[in-house]
Amino acid sequence: MSAMASTFDIIMRGGWIVTPEGLRREDLAIADGRVAARLANLAGDASQVIDASGSYVFPGFIDAHVHFNEPGRADWEGLASGSAALAAGGGTCFFDMPLNSEPPVLDAVRFHEKEALAREKAHTDFALWGGLTPANLDRLAELRDAGAIGLKAFMSESGIASFERVDEPSLRAGMQAAAQLGLIVAVHAEDNGLAARHTAEKKTAARDARAYLASRPVEVELAAIREALSLAQETGCALHIVHVSSPEGLALIADAKKRGLNVSAETCPHYLLLNEDDVVRIGAPAKCAPPIRDEARRRALWEALRAGILDTIGSDHSPAPGTMKTGDDFFAIWGGIGGVQHGFALLFSETLDSAERDWPLLSALLSRNVARRFRLGRRKGSLDVGSDADLAIVTPSEPREIAASELLTRHPISAYVGRRSRVRVTHTLVRGRAVWSDGRLVDSHLQPRLLSPQSATS
C-alpha cells in the first residue's frame, strides 16, 4: 500500500517515533503487517486508530538472550509464560538459548523439537541458538541447516551437566567449524580455572552474598574474553561476547574491533541498573554470573553505552523456582536473573530525563543492532516503511513500584520487584498484531515465525 492510500489497518497518531537517528513526532500507519507510512499529520483512515499522544513508539525490542527452558524444565519457565512477559516489556522477538532446556539443543532433532513448541506456544517471533560443546562438534552443520541463529558456548561450568563447557581445544575446533559454516559464536566468558580457584578461597571464610561477589572478580571475565578474542582472530570466526559486566571487558573488545576482529559485545539491564550493594540488599533474585559489579563500574558501563562501544543489550532472562532461590549459602543458590518483563523499560525510566539523547542509543542497542548483527534481514529492527510492524509504545507515567503480582513469568521472582518505574509499555505489536495492549495480554492469533540468519543482501 502506498503512503498516499486512504485506508490502513492501524494508524498511530501523535506520538514520538524513536529511531537510532533521533526522535521525530510522526504518525505511523500499518497495512498488511508492515509499516506503510510515517509522516507528520498523516492523511487517511484506518480500521483502528491508536492515540499515541505523549508516548514514544520504538521498534520492537529483540531479546537475543533468554532461557525459556522448554522442553524439559518448563517448571522453571516456559515458552508461553516467558514470551508473554517479553511482550509485556515491549519485546517482539526472542532468541532462546540451547540450555537450560533438557536435553539441550545440540543437534537438529532437538532444534526442531524446540521449534515446534515455540511455534505452538510463543506470543512473539523467535530464533533459536544451537549449543557448542565438546560433545557435538560433529553436529554443528546440521544446526546451521536447521536454522540456528548461532552457536553458544560456555567457557566456565554452565551448571547443567548435559551442557559441557568448552576448553581451549574444543572452542578452537568449534570456532573453526563455525567460520566455515558462516555461524556466529556466542560465549559466556568466564575463565573456569580462575573462577574455581577464587570460589574455593572465598567459600572458606563466608558464604554470603559479599563472599560470592568477591569469588568472581573482574579478572575472571577478562581472562576469558582475552582467550576468546585470540581464538576468534586465529580462526576468523564471528564472535559475540554475552553479558559483559565490566568496562574493562568492553575496552578489550573495543581494542579488538580496531584490530579488525569481527566481534560484538552484549550487556544486560541488570549490569546497568544494579550494583553490588543492591545484590546484598535484594539477595538471591539478583545473583548471576558474571556477577553485578560495583557502582563505579555500573556508571562506567553507561559511559561506554553513550560512547558507542556496546553493540546490543539482552535480558539474559534465566529464572528458576523459588525453592532454588533460597538458602543461607549464597554459593549454592541457583544463579540467574528473571528480568525479561521490566529490564528494558527500566532503562527508559532511568534515562527519562535525558530521553532525547539516550533513547535513540537504546533503540539501536535493543533493535537495529541486534537485527543487523544476527542478519535478520531488512524487515526487522526498524520502523522504516516496508519493515515488519514490530513495535512497542512506551508512555511516561507517575512513578510506581513494580509488584510481584504483575509478573507474567512462571515464578513471581525478579530483582526489580519493588523498584520504581516512571514508564509503562502500553502496546506491543508483532507484524501489526497487538500482543500486549493497555496492560493485558492479547490473543492475537499470531503464528510465530522462526527467524534465521539471512544472506548479506536480504
Side-chain angles (χ1 to χ4, degrees):
M1 180 178 292
S2 72
M4 299 304 294
S6 59
T7 303
F8 303 96
D9 297 327
I10 301 172
I11 295 179
M12 297 181 177
R13 294 199 181 277
W16 289 94
I17 306 295
V18 184
T19 71
E21 293 70 42
L23 278 60
R24 298 182 64 179
R25 190 181 291 278
E26 292 179 328
D27 300 334
L28 183 147
I30 297 170
D32 301 324
R34 298 196 192 186
V35 177
R38 268 181 49 197
L39 292 169
N41 302 312
L42 178 69
D45 301 315
S47 303
Q48 180 186 5
V49 176
I50 298 175
D51 182 5
S53 300
S55 297
Y56 297 80
V57 183
F58 286 81
F61 311 136
I62 305 171
D63 193 341
H65 192 161
V66 305
H67 297 265
F68 287 165
N69 304 344
E70 191 173 359
R73 288 190 176 87
D75 57 323
W76 290 22
E77 186 61 282
L79 290 158
S81 56
S83 63
L86 173 81
T92 54
C93 177
F94 64 88
F95 298 4
D96 196 47
M97 286 293 173
L99 74 169
N100 304 317
S101 52
E102 191 65 46
V105 179
L106 299 180
D107 56 40
V109 171
R110 298 308 177 190
F111 184 96
H112 291 308
E113 180 182 27
K114 182 177 282 192
E115 177 189 356
L117 288 169
R119 290 186 185 276
E120 174 189 350
K121 298 182 178 185
H123 295 280
T124 69
D125 288 340
F126 66 96
L128 301 178
W129 287 94
L132 169 54
T133 75
N136 76 323
L137 293 173
D138 60 342
R139 314 303 289 270
L140 303 182
E142 65 185 75
L143 285 168
R144 190 273 312 270
D145 295 343
I149 200 68
L151 303 171
K152 171 67 180 297
F154 268 72
M155 298 177 72
S156 59
E157 298 296 338
S158 72
I160 302 295
S162 56
F163 199 93
E164 299 175 67
R165 72 173 182 90
V166 288
D167 56 13
E168 184 176 3
S170 56
L171 182 55
R172 176 182 289 106
M175 283 185 165
Q176 288 172 336
Q180 294 172 354
L181 294 168
L183 284 174
I184 193 169
V185 170
V187 295
H188 176 123
E190 288 187 293
D191 182 275
N192 194 66
L194 283 176
R197 190 186 79 199
H198 284 291
T199 297
E201 291 173 356
K202 298 302 178 183
K203 285 173 73 171
T204 60
R207 301 208 171 198
D208 58 8
R210 291 282 185 199
Y212 172 75
L213 293 169
S215 75
R216 294 181 107 90
V218 169
E219 183 54 35
V220 172
E221 178 176 63
L222 302 184
I225 290 176
R226 291 189 194 100
E227 180 178 305
L229 291 172
S230 175
L231 292 174
Q233 183 169 23
E234 176 186 333
T235 61
C237 174
L239 176 64
H240 185 62
I241 301 180
V242 300
H243 52 51
V244 180
S245 69
S246 64
E248 296 96 327
L250 292 179
L252 290 175
I253 296 164
D255 180 67
K257 288 180 182 178
K258 292 177 182 177
R259 292 185 279 111
L261 267 69
N262 184 358
V263 59
S264 51
E266 167 202 276
T267 197
C268 307
H270 42 271
Y271 298 119
L272 293 162
L273 296 168
L274 304 173
N275 62 28
E276 287 181 333
D277 293 337
D278 293 317
V279 177
V280 174
R281 174 179 55 84
I282 295 167
K287 180 186 176 183
C288 60
I292 289 164
R293 306 297 183 184
D294 57 80
E295 177 63 9
R297 287 190 168 95
R298 185 191 76 82
R299 291 179 179 272
L301 286 179
W302 277 104
E303 293 173 7
L305 184 157
R306 291 170 178 136
I309 295 174
L310 272 168
D311 295 288
T312 68
I313 297 176
S315 69
D316 192 10
H317 178 73
S318 187
T323 54
M324 300 177 68
K325 301 292 283 185
T326 58
D328 295 330
D329 184 349
F330 208 79
F331 288 86
I333 290 168
W334 184 263
I337 290 178
V340 73
Q341 186 167 338
H342 294 101
F344 297 158
L346 283 169
L347 296 177
F348 302 127
S349 177
E350 184 85 359
T351 54
L352 179 58
D353 297 331
S354 55
E356 189 170 351
R357 176 190 65 177
D358 289 331
W359 288 12
L361 298 173
L362 290 171
S363 176
L365 292 163
L366 292 167
S367 303
R368 183 197 65 187
N369 293 5
V370 189
R372 288 182 178 179
R373 182 57 172 158
F374 295 99
R375 296 162 33 214
L376 296 185
R378 297 173 182 172
R379 288 173 55 178
K380 292 296 185 184
S382 83
L383 293 178
D384 293 341
V385 172
S387 65
D388 285 351
D390 296 347
L391 55 88
I393 300 180
V394 176
T395 305
S397 64
E398 290 297 317
R400 63 177 185 85
E401 283 194 3
I402 295 169
S405 59
E406 68 188 80
L407 296 177
L408 300 181
T409 47
R410 179 79 70 196
H411 302 282
I413 302 170
S414 169
Y416 305 128
V417 169
R419 190 181 181 106
R420 294 171 71 82
S421 177
R422 299 189 290 166
V423 304
R424 294 180 297 117
V425 176
T426 55
H427 297 77
T428 305
L429 278 66
V430 179
R431 288 181 275 118
R433 292 177 178 265
V435 294
W436 176 260
S437 179
D438 294 324
R440 64 183 181 86
L441 197 66
V442 177
D443 184 2
S444 64
H445 302 290
L446 179 78
Q447 294 182 327
R449 289 182 182 172
L450 171 70
L451 305 181
S452 297
Q454 299 186 16
S455 68
T457 58
S458 295

